[in-house]
Amino acid sequence: MQIRFADSRPAGEFALVLAVAGKNRATLNGLGPQRPAVDAALNRQRFEGESASSAELFIPADGGGVRRLLVVGTGEGSSPADAAEKLGGTISARLLTSGESHAVVDLTGQGFDADAGARVALASALRAWRHDRYRTRLTDKQKPTFAELTIIGAAAGAQERWEQRWRPVYEGVSFTRELVTEPANIIYPEAFVERCQGMRDLGIELEVLDGKAMRGLGMGALLGVAQGSVRDPRLLVMRWNGGSDGEAPVAFVGKGVTFDTGGISIKPAQGMESMKWDMGGAAAVVGAMMAIAKRKAKANVVAICGLVENMPDGNAQRPGDVVTSMSGQTIEVINTDAEGRLVLADAITYAQRNYRPKIVVDLATLTGAIVVSLGHEFGGLFAPDDELAGQLLAASAASGDRLWRQPLDEAFDKLIDSPIADMKNVGPREGGSITAAQFIKRFVENGTRWAHLDIAGMVWSDKADTTYDKGATGFGVRLIDRFVEAAVEKAA
Ligand code: BES
Ligand code: MN
Ligand code: ZN
């Protein structure tokens, strides 16, 4: 998507887009003599300007012929940021395969500040994202036509705000979606790392540990998961040092299970293909690093991804096996399908021992139970620290990546004690997301502030929304980006 900001309407053919907040149609005044016919057409469609509603009609074009007019409702009383994102997203949803290649949206009279103007661009670009690489038989009618959006009437500074603040986020979210969408024969641990190598050019330091290096560090929990796969695991470490020298970093740790068959505790066939996106936490973390580096955030950030494939095999770990984690704690592996927490345990230990972060936030598609609790509307937030929980909830509200806080408690911790090792990797079925979080908590060392985000219900969507189509959502990138801005950069 080509996005431009301009002072006036360009020459040539384009669809004109105007936004209307509820029943007040003052923003259509510029239509001049065409206004009565447009009003009549909108009334005939029962268009009332509700949020994300839209109506299309054709009006006479200046130089003869017809012009598509898309009128988008932004609702009464929406905040400028929300109205702007609804508008941008709706433009792309309506025009993507419409036959129209260029649209001009006139923001005159919307009362949008520079940020809101830039967010029209952000939402339009995000909603137009698709992954068509393997669809070689698309007919012309199925292919996107919409390729260019010109924004006029925006507040001064909107273009700069887009380029410096929101285009980086768009690029980070797109990168995450691509990793999540790619199948597991294409994205396996080594391939995931390969796709991230280009981020060195953004000034990110990149370090990679292979299976051998991890054996040297005693990462028995992560390696136990990886041992059933012919794909060698990787630990990917990225550093962005945009903050002050010597300032302890914030660490984001991602679950990167590039495919989760369940291992010997194998999953049912039905729906197993969706486990290609069991690396959605890792993908969110690297997409956020891209955004943070591209916008040159003034913060020290570390990203660590535990990348493994969970497969059943003659060499796979068995239920009942006891493994020793890098922390020295031993784990009885009751269920090989509870593999994410094993991967995170060693990744979190590595993060703390090597980078002494002041905060660790892990993101993981960890449990089916969180999807039972929160559906596809909220990710689960687990954090013993009220202040950190509050900062993450604030970032959630501001970014649109919605979280709902869940409990942690000693009573749940007891449920993962093992008779043969320090702990077992599963508790009872009840409270399954909480015992998973309690398991991870056992690897948090000497008072490090920590939060766990169980995003199993959020990385993939069966239905389109304002800023995404069906498929990979990119959940977590905007959340991390906002958290870094509000809780790390502004706090400094
Ligand atoms: N990757 C899954 C969690 C998951 C399930 C994500 C469904 C998205 C949709 C995870 O590794 C897993 O298998 N968890 C088990 C844990 C259980 C064995 C304690 C689960 O949730 O069933
Ligand atoms: Mn699993
Ligand atoms: Zn998994």
Side-chain angles (χ1 to χ4, degrees), residues 3 5 118 121-122 158-167:
I3 296 197
F5 286 79
L122 170 67
Q159 176 168 7
E160 205 187 6
R161 182 77 178 158
W162 158 242
E163 277 160 14
Q164 294 180 2
R165 183 67 184 81
W166 293 120
R167 189 158 56 194

Side-chain angles (χ1 to χ4, degrees), residues 140-163:
D140 277 344
K141 270 184 84 164
Q142 293 173 308
K143 286 183 187 157
T145 52
F146 181 45
E148 192 180 347
L149 176 66
T150 301
I151 300 176
I152 62 174
Q159 176 168 7
E160 205 187 6
R161 182 77 178 158
W162 158 242
E163 277 160 14

Side-chain angles (χ1 to χ4, degrees), residues 46-373:
R46 309 211 282 187
F47 176 79
E48 293 183 337
E50 305 97 322
S51 180
S53 65
S54 60
E56 275 181 50
L57 46 139
F58 286 83
I59 58 176
D62 307 338
V66 291
R67 159 163 295 150
R68 186 188 305 247
L69 173 66
L70 172 61
V71 183
V72 177
T74 53
E76 263 167 299
S78 316
S79 71
D82 282 353
E85 292 204 17
K86 285 270 167 31
L87 170 59
T90 306
I91 293 170
S92 289
R94 290 298 300 237
L95 298 182
L96 197 58
T97 58
S98 65
E100 213 70 61
S101 64
H102 182 194
V104 175
V105 59
D106 188 349
L107 303 184
T108 307
Q110 290 299 328
F112 285 178
D113 57 9
D115 181 67
R119 287 203 198 197
V120 174
L122 170 67
S124 171
L126 284 173
R127 182 61 182 83
W129 185 90
R130 330 207 321 173
H131 183 94
D132 286 338
R133 187 164 304 156
Y134 306 120
R135 308 183 69 188
T136 69
R137 295 282 191 275
L138 282 179
T139 63
D140 277 344
K141 270 184 84 164
Q142 293 173 308
K143 286 183 187 157
T145 52
F146 181 45
E148 192 180 347
L149 176 66
T150 301
I151 300 176
I152 62 174
Q159 176 168 7
E160 205 187 6
R161 182 77 178 158
W162 158 242
E163 277 160 14
Q164 294 180 2
R165 183 67 184 81
W166 293 120
R167 189 158 56 194
V169 169
Y170 161 68
E171 287 167 357
V173 170
S174 301
F175 184 59
T176 296
R177 287 180 183 173
E178 175 167 322
L179 289 169
V180 166
T181 307
E182 289 282 16
N185 60 325
I186 303 294
I187 290 292
Y188 42 90
E190 207 184 331
F192 186 109
V193 169
E194 208 41 55
R195 294 257 175 137
C196 295
Q197 290 288 0
M199 285 167 69
R200 290 180 196 275
D201 300 342
L202 302 174
I204 290 174
E205 290 169 18
L206 219 125
E207 251 177 83
V208 185
L209 305 189
D210 60 10
K212 188 162 169 248
M214 288 189 268
R215 274 192 291 281
L217 292 168
M219 293 190 171
L222 184 152
L223 291 167
V225 178
Q227 81 188 30
S229 171
V230 297
R231 310 287 198 188
D232 197 44
R234 291 288 183 272
L235 193 82
L236 171 63
V237 183
M238 289 184 178
R239 293 203 70 178
W240 170 254
N241 299 316
S244 355
D245 280 350
E247 169 92 23
V250 176
F252 296 98
V253 179
K255 168 179 173 182
V257 176
T258 59
F259 196 81
D260 181 14
T261 63
I264 296 301
S265 313
I266 197 164
K267 289 181 179 293
Q270 178 75 37
M272 199 202 277
E273 70 284 356
S274 67
M275 285 299 112
K276 73 173 181 179
W277 49 255
D278 207 18
M279 32 58 77
V285 163
V286 299
M289 284 304 270
M290 179 181 279
I292 284 165
K294 287 196 174 203
R295 70 175 179 80
K296 301 190 168 63
K298 292 187 171 46
N300 295 336
V301 186
V302 183
I304 298 195
C305 298
L307 300 163
V308 301
E309 185 180 57
N310 189 21
M311 298 289 274
D313 171 84
N315 193 46
Q317 72 180 341
R318 294 146 291 258
D321 282 5
V322 174
V323 296
T324 302
S325 66
M326 184 184 175
S327 73
Q329 299 180 91
T330 57
I331 304 159
E332 182 188 11
V333 180
I334 297 293
N335 189 320
T336 65
D337 196 12
E339 85 296 343
R341 62 200 76 181
L342 297 169
V343 172
L344 288 172
D346 281 338
I348 287 174
T349 300
Y350 185 86
Q352 294 172 117
R353 303 255 168 112
N354 287 274
Y355 301 102
R356 306 263 163 233
K358 54 181 172 191
I359 296 173
V360 172
V361 179
D362 76 77
L363 288 88
T365 50
L366 205 65
T367 67
I370 201 69
V371 191
V372 176
S373 303

